[in-house]
Amino acid sequence: MSWEPVIGLEVHVQMRTERKLFCGNQVVFGDEPNSHVCPVCLGLPGALPTTNPEAVKLAVRTALALDCTIHLTSVWERKNYFYPDLPKGYQITQFEMPLATDGVVIYDGPEGEGLVRIRRAHMEEDAGKSIHDRIPRGTVVDLNRAGTPLVEIVTEPDLCSPADARAFLVALKHILEYADVSDCNMEEGSLRVDANVSLRSVGASELGAKTEIKNVNSFSGVERALEIEIARQAEVLDHGGTVDQETLLWDDHMGQLRSMRSKEDSHDYRYFPDPDLPPLVLEPSLVEVTRQCLPELPRLRRDRFIQDYGLSSYDAGVLTHTVASANYFEAVVGASAEAKSAANWVMGPLQALMNERGEDLETFRVRARALAELIELVTDGTVSDTAAKKVLAIVAEDGGSPRAVIEEQGLAQVRDDVQLEQWVQAVIEAQPDEVSRYQGGEKRLIGFLVGQVMRRSSGTADPRRVNAILTKELI
Amino acid sequence: MTTLAKAAHAVGAIQELENGGAPLNAFLAVAHPESLAVANSEGLLAGIPLAVKDNLATTGFDTTCGSKVLEGYRSPYESTVVRRAKAAGAVVVGKTNLDEFAMGSSTENSAYGPTLNPHDRSRVPGGSSGGSAAAVAAGLVPMALGSDTGGSVRQPAAFCGIVGIKPTYGRVSRYGLVAYASSLDQVGTLGRTVTDAARLLQVVSGYDERDATSDERPVPDLLGAVGRGVEGLVIGVPNEYLPDGLDPALRDLVNTALRELEEAGAKIRRVSLPHTRYAIPCYYVLAPAEASSNLSRYDGVRYGVRCAEADLISMYQGTRSTGLGIEVKRRIMLGTYALSAGYYDEYYGTAQRARRMITEDFRSVFDDGVDALFTPTSPTPAFKIGERMDDPMEMYLSDVFTVTANLAGIPGISVPIGSIRGLPVGGQVLAPWWQEDQMLAIAGELETRIQGAEA
């Protein structure tokens, strides 16, 4: 029998706030343990939570970026369970009445465009961290993370393969980065994924028993864990067995899943409305303003790049991969550069130079206006492509304007035939072998010879003129 | 006496009584005489010795909540009410005994032994603010802070023959009040007189940004309201609070009080609050449900007493089994059950609906021109120590007239209206939301007339 997987995801996203959700403590990753705590996030007797409006705004923006319906009234509830890193013995979350429901994410899946419905997006506080390997035979707890604002995004089971799930996650992360609500750093745990998966016979409409995979901290991990779990469930079903509803923990080092708890010992979280917090009531104007201020999201921007700048879908995709590169590109075009050249420069030499220097657009000294100027100087023939790359490197190192650098360094393109003739003659004399092979029919050697002339000119020679003169001289 | 001398005198008196031959066990901690200080010698409470119930966080004393699990626990922060009282010049002279985590009506559920009623040491002072009530009644302090979740300020005030106020829910910040049942808990004040209790309430009331359930409304002139009189006010007497089986002596005292109010110019009207009979079952579902969650934090992980065991589950079990008392455990179990999957709607859901009906009862009589209600505070005077410990239901019924105010969130006050067989009895005034001033005017009138009659 052949089976098809049905996959739904729960994604926890840490909001990029300065302060925790219910107290004034700073959100900091990796600081001295238990250094960002107070009576509220420690759950001291008598301490009470109050809601951080900044976190609420970011959550609303998150939900709007996922095309959700925002509910003007949502309710804080307590999810009760005991764990040492959960200071109050309950987590403040939203359950019956979440902040947002009914969203949609469109993504580029392995088999073309896919659509995942978002069932809900709600706010909650994070727990602290239990650290099991710091002291022998003991666990220590760091509560710096306790109370950090999260949005939990729950999808409908609309994904049908591990690759599909991964593609969705890539798109989701892209949207969250665009919406500027989270740094989405999976290593620091600011984006965490749980996956629910079940199998059903191909074409069936009923869902099978599902398992939940927790503790996955990379997109490739999600894909691998799902593949392994799908294979396991298929094996069970193929042998006439039934899949037990259980929670599985992913071990990334071993590439293994192990059972954490079965349905029988699943928690009864005893959710009930938190009496310390009135319902969260949003002003309609807050939602409207947030909606209007929502940045253009990745797919729309990509489509617009194709439309407005005549870029290929591939180029548009590369340029819109990050908000920073898309903004940079548009700034270059805005400073009068032609779109296609701007795209080529940004994706090509600029990216290569940044990689080489270990920089990103935030630190890079070549501002969009400078690149536009350089492109113009290439286009009008003032400087050759080769020299322009040199100029780029100089500006990246020392700053300054490309025009000034070209003047100072004498990098302007030489189109004076007398000078070009001299370089050409020198190369013909210096490379007798290649010259005779060329004359013997190895016409592709022209490239090598042009290159030699370019070198001799320190990149300033006009390569097209050089090519023409060489061809003439070597007939 | 200088401002500090009053406090020093109070500390001396407390030590003398509590270390003497007939202690009340009203205090769990007493200030060191050298540590006393007045923060504000011009404030409304300048130099006044103040006793604080031990479920209010204080930096100068341990905060045990009458529980073993918090033995030796020192709060790193001060509750808002204590901060405000100190800023107004009050001097905290000690922390008072209570039923563990404020769960009880007799102060017998304290891990540190029961408090005795100063009027009769064989009897309970009521609870859960029994230590505060006994301290005021014994003349050790003129006023004290307590907390009232189902009657825990008003009932001990009645049992001890003093005044106790539970303000409107949201009038006083709960920041630093160790939670029992958050939607019902409210800090209250106790005093020898209506004016004393009102003065303390005036100081601690008002919005606090640290408590999301505190209200931004301005606080009326509570002190000024005490002598305002009752001329023209309509005072309702709910039938359900004078049931057939009520002690005739108590009924007589209530009727006497009503006549006094009538003579002072108030109109008395019989009214009905038909859902009153659901109050006790409703309260004993909601309060334990919230408590079961509020008390989860006493797990031995971060503070308080830890029962060191080999593994996590044993540590939790050991800490909570030995650290928490029987009544607390009973309520945690009740509440856990009421919130369980499959029972939630039947218990918690039904209780929430009953709570709304009880609230609507009050709203409709107040909308119908009734300015305040008058009832007995508790069905009986102080009972004997140990008398009700084996029968939780009987114990729970001592709150039958007080829990409704917590469920509805309205303010209530208990004032002495006489005594039965030598034991003090309280009458309760309940007012509409945010009308503590109205309530205090009526209580003040009663105090003047009844004390006048007794004198």
Side-chain angles (χ1 to χ4, degrees), chain A residues 318-331:
Chain A
V318 172
L319 288 170
T320 54
H321 187 66
T322 65
V323 184
S325 75
N327 287 349
Y328 189 91
F329 165 76
E330 290 212 276

Side-chain angles (χ1 to χ4, degrees), chain B residues 133-152:
Chain B
V136 173
L140 298 172
V141 286
M143 53 184 80
L145 286 168
S147 69
D148 190 316
T149 305
S152 278

Side-chain angles (χ1 to χ4, degrees), chain B residues 232-254:
Chain B
L233 293 182
V234 177
I235 296 171
V237 182
N239 295 325
E240 292 77 6
Y241 289 68
L242 295 169
D244 286 342
L246 194 71
D247 184 343
L250 177 56
R251 186 185 297 271
D252 287 347
L253 289 174
V254 169

Side-chain angles (χ1 to χ4, degrees), chain B residues 12-30:
Chain B
I14 293 165
Q15 279 168 342
E16 197 180 308
L17 177 69
E18 297 289 52
N19 298 331
L24 293 174
N25 197 30
F27 284 85
L28 296 180
V30 182

Side-chain angles (χ1 to χ4, degrees), chain B residues 176-415:
Chain B
L177 168 64
V178 180
Y180 154 28
S182 318
S183 76
L184 302 159
D185 292 341
Q186 194 64 190
V187 174
T189 62
L190 301 100
R192 266 191 299 232
T193 63
V194 176
T195 299
D196 280 350
R199 185 188 301 271
L200 181 54
L201 184 62
Q202 185 88 59
V203 166
V204 299
S205 290
Y207 176 68
D208 177 13
E209 59 173 16
R210 290 173 194 270
D211 175 2
T213 63
S214 88
D215 196 90
E216 293 187 43
R217 250 167 271 251
V219 182
D221 177 10
L222 301 176
L223 263 181
V226 176
R228 207 160 72 185
V230 299
E231 181 72 45
L233 293 182
V234 177
I235 296 171
V237 182
N239 295 325
E240 292 77 6
Y241 289 68
L242 295 169
D244 286 342
L246 194 71
D247 184 343
L250 177 56
R251 186 185 297 271
D252 287 347
L253 289 174
V254 169
N255 286 333
T256 308
L258 289 171
R259 268 198 307 279
E260 292 291 348
L261 290 172
E262 218 165 6
E263 265 174 43
K267 289 189 200 56
I268 307 299
R269 191 198 288 178
R270 297 298 287 231
V271 298
S272 175
L273 301 166
H275 297 99
T276 302
R277 63 198 168 100
Y278 299 124
I280 288 284
C282 171
Y283 175 85
Y284 279 99
V285 170
L286 295 181
E290 293 181 19
S292 71
S293 172
N294 281 332
L295 272 68
S296 294
R297 64 187 64 189
Y298 309 110
D299 56 6
V301 173
R302 293 164 312 282
Y303 47 78
V305 172
R306 172 188 295 180
C307 183
E309 292 284 352
D311 62 84
L312 183 63
I313 298 297
S314 315
M315 182 191 85
Y316 283 152
Q317 287 173 346
T319 300
R320 292 171 68 80
S321 308
T322 58
L324 301 174
I326 177 124
E327 182 61 25
V328 170
K329 282 186 238 178
R330 175 160 32 233
R331 294 194 196 189
I332 289 174
M333 282 190 284
L334 263 173
T336 303
Y337 185 78
L339 290 175
S340 301
Y343 296 98
Y344 180 90
D345 284 335
E346 194 179 337
Y347 291 99
Y348 188 80
T350 306
Q352 286 288 25
R353 283 191 294 281
R355 183 177 190 172
R356 280 194 290 276
M357 291 192 280
I358 288 162
T359 306
E360 280 317 303
D361 278 358
F362 283 112
R363 198 184 305 282
S364 70
V365 295
F366 291 137
D367 284 352
D368 204 26
V370 171
D371 294 306
L373 298 164
F374 186 75
T375 79
T377 305
S378 187
T380 67
F383 44 87
K384 292 269 190 192
I385 289 171
E387 190 182 302
R388 298 191 181 179
M389 284 304 273
D390 297 331
D391 188 350
M393 247 345 263
E394 188 65 22
M395 185 76 93
Y396 296 171
L397 284 173
S398 61
D399 295 332
V400 65
F401 300 146
T402 46
V403 290
T404 48
N406 299 82
L407 291 167
I410 57 171
I413 183 170
S414 178
V415 277

